[in-house]
Amino acid sequence: PDLLDQLLRATSEAGTRSLSILQNTGTLLQNTITLVGISAILITYSIWLPVVLLVGTVPALAVVVRHNRLYHAWWEETTEKRRWERYFDLALTSAYSAPEIRTLRLSPLLRERHDTLRRELRERRLGLLRRQTIAQFFAGFVGLIVTAATMVWMGARAMRGAATIGDLALFYQAFSQGQGLMRSLLSGAGQLYADALFMEHLFSLLALRPDITSPDKPQMLTGVSGGDSRARRVESRNVVFEGVTFTYPSADQSALSDFDLEIPAGKTVAVVGPNGVGKSTLIKLLCRLYDPQQGRVLIDGQDIRSLGVDALRDELSVMFQFPVQWFATARENIIYGDLDAAHDDERIRAAADAAGATTVVERLAKGYDTLLSKQFKGGTELSGGQWQRIALARAFYRDAPIVVLDEPTSFMDSWEEARWLERFRALVRERTALIVTHRFSTAMHADLIYVMDEGKVVESGSHEALVALDGFYASSWKQQQAPQPPPPTDSDKRPRE
Ligand code: ADP
Ligand code: MG
């Protein structure tokens, strides 16, 4: 939440404030020059007159500075509220939430929450503006009194014959103009100060550095030639998790604790376990989306933190549990898997075939050139299961020695699953594969199965060995072999993440 607050603060005012700084600087310069000229005229009447000008407009400066500080403090304090407001706005208008909003009639509730926030924000903002207006009125009043006083003084001089009627007219002109200029000069300066307050948020955001970085002198894995990790001769890699303990930032329980796992080179390994035991987390650690607090992740014996971040990710082809549904053509959705490679249609088709996505694409109006989004003209929308196949094709398109799939079969029925697994075995050939799943019917085909519970591996071995062990795996296996509930249909939609 703190980071998102920081992001909103940096982006919401930076555009107008930076422009305002430019404008104010220009006006400030212009006003200063004119003011010097007017002061030259006034000084001929009395050396003190420019000082009187300044004193008469200082309250206006105080109002600008004070009000902007109050506004800035309010703005900073209400950042999270404004994010909530944005959230409700988006929730009410996005296609993603539309079905539930309609069927559950959530609209009144969400609108009420949105409006309550708006009302609260608006009332406090109006309160600030009211106070500012009153203060400005008094500041203007002080200016008026100062003008009146100097005019009385000048009138008295005219009575004594020390000044002519012409002098009086010139003086009045010069003084009131000078006052206007001085006021805009000082409030311009106050505005500059305020703009700087807001711009600081942009600079503090720009000063953030990523937590995950490449080492100064990255190590290279065997078979990777030169600096180009894609020109590689190795087909598979060995992956080891060694005593890994990891807690998500600001979480109070660790997702993985003293976790050990080995994926031998060229083998297909399955990780099974109930929801929330840390299966997806171990994939995030392998990709270095996070670094563990303790322990190491090794590829071919090298700590992944000693490799370049990009070089590490070039070794991996990952399909996450909730893959992105890119608003792009079917072809692009697949080649995003490997943008650096030369794209030939044959490779794209092979990847789609392996993922069972060919039938999906064939049914599209423009085949591979169909835009996969209904939110832009000429696009079309896919079902959740169809999207999953496209995502799988993207993962297969990437030619990496380690293939990682998070719940790849969750959208398939058991018959389809068996067929797909057969093809998958042929496809990965010598590559190292990690399949994360909660389905034992998927896991049973792996060379090696790890059973996870609460951030730890509790059992491991081949399917036969685990069934013979008669432990957690065996009992869960028997349960899942019992008559199954109807499989999820093709149209079940996965959330966009
Ligand atoms: P699964 O085995 O179902 O894939 P995960 O690895 O996604 O489970 O999650 C493991 C635990 O970590 C869960 O208790 C979950 O609540 C927590 N968790 C997952 N992602 C995050 C996150 N981004 N921040 C904090 N906690 C998380
Ligand atoms: Mg998961």
Side-chain angles (χ1 to χ4, degrees), residues 248-249 251 255 273-282 284 290 321 406 436:
Y248 281 101
N275 284 327
V277 295
K279 302 187 299 297
S280 296
T281 304
L282 82 93
K284 292 185 211 165
Y290 298 94
Q321 189 167 7
D406 197 351
V436 166

Side-chain angles (χ1 to χ4, degrees), residues 331 334 344-355 358 368 397:
R331 173 181 282 104
I334 294 172
D344 58 272
D345 282 354
E346 203 165 313
R347 246 188 90 195
I348 296 171
R349 223 167 284 131
D353 255 346
T358 311
Y368 282 101
Y397 186 75

